[in-house]
């Protein structure tokens, strides 16, 4: 095991998102988001689950900060519910002081406990008002202005204390799951809308960053960027066709956002397949888009083996599997079908991002839901061996990337602080390092808490 250490300013903690933990959908003037509407529509989520109560964290936020403190973190990543701050969402709609006050109190409590807040402005819960008014992310002229206005309000009200901003969480999910496969809100299907939505998400991000840099950065001294998601894509074997397929798979999942933002253009592989369904940036827009992130925010959970073929344009006409050519599985199976533990892929991904985009990397999510944890008795739940194995391996892969490969990794946020509402999968998968009893809201730390805490105590340099 490597004896080298992460630098003493290394950022680590846990991540959450507003709709997944808060509950209290009607409290203090909040109006619905598209996730309230979607999860209340029959057939959209497992068991008909919704975020009405979740982990009750709108009320129990102090308890959450106390847990973070107990867990030894130096940072916490969470998101704002836009419709608590501007209930209808738009630039001419009323601002809700009660909503603003809630996040102000949370931020102050974090800071006074020595925990650095990392705020995500948009983790998928668009105000329903904007979806109804003009189609939400589909309407470029409107959504870019409304998003920038919302961002400006947040910089103004919180920027004295918040120095780390994330514009969007995983625009791929908003685009593809929200507007192509339809498994996430607002539940649209098709092969055209998601390219428009992705394009508009990039623009909204870029104009919010421009505003921050023009009007706030000098006085507030913070940083701002976007978080993208990728399962590392490893060719199934070394045949040239599969090697090429893996790169195309990465382009369709990550490059469609990362290349415009960090390099200033869409990948050729996408242009050649999607043709004129892919919107173009104007010259003026490109100036704003290119270089519009101070860092590379990364959410990653697993690795996929990639084969050429298949007719899914959304995934770049490649096929995915966890089964190696010799018939073995890639790693330990999680409760969700899309996740197996494979830490070497994490190390490869960190190297790929550094080599391709040359930006400091903030890992903003990484975590593991233990198989069948929702039906195990609590004494077994807390003994979360597969999660411990996962964190141990992924953290050591991160350390190797940072120390042996020289990749500038700046943060690690484990997903998640608490078991929570796992979107279309409802409450069944449990990603938390803290067990939540949804009947009583009692929190119980799982053993992984101590393992992660000890790991960081031992692997961050003391000065
Ligand atoms: C993250 O998404 C989210 O940011 C977070 O809110 C979530 O709770 C966490 O991961 C755990 O899932 O692609 O149709 O097979 C990670 C990306 C998107 C991967 C949804 C799994 C499953 C649906 N995830 N995807 S599908």
């Amino acid at each position: 095991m490597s004896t080298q250490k992460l630098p003493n300013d290394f950022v680590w903690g846990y991540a959450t998102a507003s709709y997944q933990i808060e509950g209290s959908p009607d409290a203090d003037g909040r109006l619905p988001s598209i996730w309230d509407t979607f999860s209340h529509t029959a057939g959209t989520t497992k068991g008909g689950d919704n975020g009405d109560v979740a982990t009750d964290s709108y009320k129990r936020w102090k308890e959450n900060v106390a847990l973070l403190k107990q867990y030894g973190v130096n940072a916490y990543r969470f998101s704002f519910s836009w419709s608590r701050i501007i209930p209808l969402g738009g630039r001419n709609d009323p601002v809700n002081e009660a909503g603003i006050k809630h996040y102000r109190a949370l931020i102050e409590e974090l800071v006074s406990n020595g925990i650095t807040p990392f705020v995500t402005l948009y983790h998928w819960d668009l105000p329903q008002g904007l979806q109804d008014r003009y189609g939400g992310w589909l309407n470029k002229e409107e959504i870019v202005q409304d998003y920038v206005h919302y961002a400006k309000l947040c910089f103004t009200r919180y920027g004295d204390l918040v120095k780390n901003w994330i514009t969007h969480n995983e625009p791929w999910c908003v685009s593809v799951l929200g507007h192509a496969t339809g498994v996430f809100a607002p539940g649209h299907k098709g092969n055209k809308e998601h390219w428009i939505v992705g394009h508009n998400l990039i623009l909204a991000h870029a104009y919010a960053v421009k505003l921050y840099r023009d009007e706030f950065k000098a006085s507030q001294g913070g940083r701002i960027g976007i978080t993208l998601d990728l399962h590392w894509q490893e060719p199934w074997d070394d045949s040239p066709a599969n090697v090429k397929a893996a790169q195309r798979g990465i382009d369709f999942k990550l490059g469609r956002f990362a290349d415009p933002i960090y390099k200033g253009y869409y990948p050729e592989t996408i242009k050649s397949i999607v043709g004129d369904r892919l919107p173009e940036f104007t010259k003026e827009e490109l100036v704003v888009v290119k270089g519009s992130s101070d860092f590379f925010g990364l959410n990653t959970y697993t690795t996929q083996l990639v084969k050429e073929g298949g007719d899914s344009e959304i995934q770049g006409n490649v096929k995915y599997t966890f089964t190696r050519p010799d018939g073995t599985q890639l790693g330990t199976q999680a409760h969700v079908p899309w996740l197996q533990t494979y830490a070497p892929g994490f190390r490869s991904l960190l190297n790929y991002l550094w080599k391709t985009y040359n930006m400091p990397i903030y890992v903003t999510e990484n975590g593991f839901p233990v198989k069948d944890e929702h039906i195990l008795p609590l004494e077994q739940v807390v003994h979360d061996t597969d999660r411990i194995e996962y964190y141990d391996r992924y953290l050591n892969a991160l350390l190797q990337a940072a120390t042996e490969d020289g990749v500038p990794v700046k943060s690690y946020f484990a997903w998640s602080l608490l078991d929570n509402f796992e979107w279309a999968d409802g409450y069944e998968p449990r990603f938390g390092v803290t067990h939540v009893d949804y009947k009583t809201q009692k929190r119980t730390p799982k053993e992984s808490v101590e393992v992660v805490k000890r790991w960081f105590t031992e692997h961050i340099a003391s000065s």
Side-chain angles (χ1 to χ4, degrees), residues 17 20 77 123-124 169-170 172-173 177 181 183-184 229 231 253 299 301 336 338 365 415 420-423 425 431:
Q20 296 182 269
R77 172 176 180 245
H123 199 126
W124 310 349
N169 180 71
E170 303 186 351
W172 182 87
C173 292
L177 305 181
T181 62
V183 297
F184 280 10
D229 61 307
H231 308 322
K253 184 85 194 269
N299 289 354
Y301 289 82
V336 287
W338 53 270
E365 283 181 30
W415 184 270
N420 61 47
F421 176 66
E422 180 54 20
W423 308 111
D425 288 340
F431 277 88

Side-chain angles (χ1 to χ4, degrees), residues 225-245:
I226 192 166
T227 279
L228 307 179
D229 61 307
L230 186 73
H231 308 322
W232 176 242
Q233 302 197 19
E234 186 93 24
W236 184 71
D237 61 14
D238 56 16
S239 76
N242 291 338
V243 171
K244 220 171 136 195

